[in-house]
Amino acid sequence: MQIAIVLYPGFTALDFIGPYEVLRWLPDARVRFLWHEPGPITADSGVLVVAATHSFDETPSPDVILVPGGMTTTEHARDEKLLAWVRRAHSTATWTASVCSGSIILAAAGLLSGKRATSHWMALPALKAFGVTTIADERIVVSGDIVTCAGVSAGIDLGLWLAGRIGGEHRAKVIQLSLEYDPQPPFDSGHMSKASAKTKAAASALMAKDLATPSQLKAGALLLWDRAIGAARSRRG
Amino acid sequence: MQIAIVLYPGFTALDFIGPYEVLRWLPDARVRFLWHEPGPITADSGVLVVAATHSFDETPSPDVILVPGGMTTTEHARDEKLLAWVRRAHSTATWTASVCSGSIILAAAGLLSGKRATSHWMALPALKAFGVTTIADERIVVSGDIVTCAGVSAGIDLGLWLAGRIGGEHRAKVIQLSLEYDPQPPFDSGHMSKASAKTKAAASALMAKDLATPSQLKAGALLLWDRAIGAARSRRG
């Protein structure tokens, strides 16, 4: 079973390392990391470098597709070659999944129109602009063969859910014990419904520092333009 | 604040990506990934490659040290240059931490003698052989300025605990919300006290396949010899 994890410069590492660490323990799992060409790809932090092992062209028909989020997602959601690959690969994949703002790339590829999906809480408005029925209060949202989940750490839960569907509940439980995934967060501030107003404001400000760069703001605006023009063109004139 | 994350061939990625993703959001955090020399290091899975950005020699006095686990920990727990660096760096660090079987490297460096510490459940017997008071039922164990935690995914909880101590509870909660760390595992099998006998047996067998290779068995045996001879030599003759 081939599992294709999409990388791009500016990815958030935990988004895909969580599900990678789960899915790699499935029987016959063959994980590969994709980009336009194999080579080093730098994370949003600027200090972590992970290798893309294969190109999109080398990976025409994976069984599972996983798209992580990052601080540059809107920029890459306008990468036509990436979007074309996502569309084509999705047409033959068993499961297509995203973590965090990765769902914006699935939406930009046209996979989520009119469907229920989720994302990192900060990315939900952008996702909604694609005509997606955004779900803010479910950690994992299943729409047919597409599974999206909440931000960053939610990828572990998504990975285990997928492992249960692909390898059965027994195997998923075995993997959960192997990863000793018995979470005990020392605070209870991990969801917008649980965090204080002060925490929410500070978290928005913290992330905006990385997200509100000139290039990302421009990419976001262009993405909305693309979407609006596409919608206008698709109306009967 | 310099945060030094030790890498080695055969690391388990989630062990350090969890705390990395938390700690990098601390004010003035400067994260680096260490090995004998900068360059690509391959994970236990054989398909994930992460860059070591700095050498041990370039990093004499980090503020925080983090040692992850892996499938080759016992082998690297006999790397005298690594152990000497851990000892020296620990003497000036504010916090020294390990995730999963990374505590075996701290123990081999002599940091845990007679102290309370924990590890992945499969690594607890090896940790005990170093004269450590092993704790099987606490996810995070604090012994002065040394913090150890349970397997793989426990690194996220450890990261948040450390973030609270270093940056204060408000900052830690802000980071928790940024990572949307509101875990909802689809199964409840993440601890030895919760998993069924069948799950426990299968998880042990699954991990043993990677751990019980000839080179790892030899490394484990040699590590125990080192430890026994060291203890004999330290007795008054």
Side-chain angles (χ1 to χ4, degrees), chain B residues 17-210:
Chain B
I17 292 293
Y20 145 84
E21 204 69 86
V22 173
L23 298 173
R24 77 183 191 83
W25 287 105
L26 284 172
D28 308 316
R30 288 171 293 118
V31 180
R32 47 171 66 189
F33 297 93
L34 306 189
W35 180 234
H36 291 291
E37 60 276 318
I41 314 280
T42 302
D44 47 7
S45 64
V47 296
L48 174 72
V49 181
V50 173
T53 56
H54 294 78
S55 70
F56 295 123
D57 291 342
E58 287 175 307
T59 313
S61 49
D63 299 290
V64 178
I65 302 164
L66 186 108
V67 182
M71 292 299 180
T72 55
T73 318
T74 48
E75 187 183 327
H76 297 291
R78 299 186 69 240
D79 175 341
E80 284 302 334
K81 198 177 166 193
L82 166 61
L83 299 182
W85 179 84
V86 167
R87 263 178 232 118
R88 221 170 31 240
H90 168 66
S91 70
T92 55
T94 309
W95 292 102
T96 298
S98 68
V99 179
C100 199
S101 61
S103 52
I104 290 178
I105 289 175
L106 300 190
L111 270 54
L112 293 176
S113 298
K115 292 192 177 150
R116 298 171 81 251
T118 194
S119 195
H120 190 285
W121 51 267
M122 263 196 105
L124 287 171
L127 190 62
K128 196 169 190 173
F130 283 96
V132 178
T133 305
T134 54
I135 310 292
D137 56 359
E138 292 177 27
R139 195 150 169 91
I140 301 169
V141 175
V142 185
S143 290
D145 55 0
I146 301 177
V147 197
T148 58
C149 72
V152 197
S153 61
I156 304 175
D157 295 328
L158 173 131
L160 274 175
W161 185 90
L162 270 177
R165 294 301 293 261
I166 295 168
E169 188 171 316
H170 170 62
R171 184 65 166 217
K173 286 180 172 175
V174 168
I175 296 171
Q176 185 180 11
L177 183 59
S178 301
L179 305 184
E180 214 158 351
Y181 185 47
D182 180 39
Q184 295 172 27
F187 310 104
D188 188 21
S189 188
H191 191 265
M192 288 295 270
S193 64
K194 296 176 173 178
S196 70
K198 186 184 165 200
T199 300
K200 285 191 270 196
S204 300
L206 186 68
M207 306 199 74
K209 270 205 295 190
D210 276 13

Side-chain angles (χ1 to χ4, degrees), chain A residues 50-191:
Chain A
V50 174
T53 56
H54 294 78
S55 69
F56 295 124
D57 291 342
E58 287 174 307
T59 313
S61 49
D63 299 290
V64 178
I65 301 164
L66 186 108
V67 182
M71 292 299 180
T72 55
T73 318
T74 48
E75 187 183 327
H76 298 291
R78 299 187 69 240
D79 176 341
E80 284 302 334
K81 197 177 166 193
L82 166 61
L83 298 182
W85 179 84
V86 167
R87 263 177 232 118
R88 220 169 32 239
H90 168 67
S91 71
T92 54
T94 309
W95 292 102
T96 298
S98 68
V99 179
C100 199
S101 61
S103 51
I104 289 179
I105 289 176
L106 301 190
L111 270 53
L112 293 176
S113 299
K115 292 192 178 152
R116 298 172 81 251
T118 194
S119 195
H120 190 285
W121 51 268
M122 263 197 105
L124 287 171
L127 190 62
K128 196 169 191 173
F130 283 96
V132 178
T133 304
T134 54
I135 310 293
D137 56 358
E138 292 177 26
R139 195 152 169 90
I140 301 169
V141 175
V142 185
S143 291
D145 55 0
I146 301 177
V147 197
T148 58
C149 72
V152 197
S153 61
I156 304 174
D157 295 328
L158 173 131
L160 273 174
W161 185 90
L162 270 177
R165 294 301 292 263
I166 296 168
E169 188 171 317
H170 170 63
R171 184 64 166 217
K173 286 180 172 175
V174 167
I175 295 171
Q176 185 181 12
L177 183 59
S178 300
L179 305 184
E180 214 158 350
Y181 186 46
D182 180 38
Q184 295 172 28
F187 311 104
D188 188 21
S189 189
H191 191 265

